[in-house]
Amino acid sequence: MFYLREHPDEARRMLAAINMDMVGANQSIHRNSANMSFTPFSLPSFVNDVGAQLVEWVGDTNREKVHNRRIVSGFQNPIVDPRGTQDPFRFAVDKFYGATDNQPLVDYNPRIPAISFDNWPTSPITPARMPPRCSIRRR
């Protein structure tokens, strides 16, 4: 935000912004879903429709659905990491929620339409679930 406030010409050139927060979290382990949050009602934008269409398409084609059973078993259009879980993609498209990292962008200054992708509920990192190279000790 400091950069955009120091360079308002850059902010004026931006059509929209996309915040990506913890989008690669394992939904099975954390028991959560991928969520997309719209811009506030006071700041309507095309980015809401583009984001929602993307999330719904990925979600609808990356899980088994009864009406696809005649065509294909499994995912209709798999977008998966070959080394990943191959789990179905759980998602939600929600209205604006202010406590996300896109909040500063949609505020009065710089007022850039911004959507947010995240996983909810978030899972706190505990020592037992910490990646091997991380440490919780202060140095």
Side-chain angles (χ1 to χ4, degrees):
M1 291 311 306
F2 178 77
Y3 176 81
L4 292 177
R5 291 209 173 112
E6 290 295 311
H7 301 89
D9 52 318
E10 292 288 327
R12 282 191 287 276
R13 292 180 24 201
M14 292 184 183
L15 297 175
I18 299 173
N19 172 55
M20 308 284 282
D21 188 1
M22 296 184 62
V23 294
N26 186 318
Q27 294 181 345
S28 294
I29 291 173
H30 301 294
R31 296 186 189 109
N32 59 14
S33 64
N35 300 299
M36 190 213 94
S37 301
F38 287 132
T39 62
F41 291 131
S42 62
L43 188 59
S45 172
F46 72 93
V47 74
N48 291 327
D49 296 325
V50 171
Q53 286 294 310
L54 174 68
V55 170
E56 289 171 0
W57 178 77
V58 171
D60 285 345
T61 60
N62 283 274
R63 61 188 169 105
E64 285 198 57
K65 295 175 72 176
V66 172
H67 70 272
N68 289 340
R69 282 295 174 105
R70 290 183 305 142
I71 307 167
V72 65
S73 179
F75 301 164
Q76 183 180 359
N77 188 25
I79 303 174
V80 294
D81 179 348
R83 295 173 295 157
T85 65
Q86 313 292 313
D87 289 339
F89 183 72
R90 293 184 296 275
F91 70 96
V93 177
D94 293 324
K95 55 189 170 197
F96 178 73
Y97 177 68
T100 64
D101 293 338
N102 68 335
Q103 172 69 46
L105 295 168
V106 301
D107 278 345
Y108 147 76
N109 183 11
R111 199 79 174 144
I112 299 168
I115 58 174
S116 181
F117 291 97
D118 62 11
N119 276 291
W120 185 257
T122 57
S123 299
I125 295 178
T126 61
R129 293 181 17 209
M130 189 161 296
R133 290 207 150 114
C134 292
S135 173
I136 59 171
R137 294 185 199 142
R138 292 196 126 165
R139 296 180 189 238

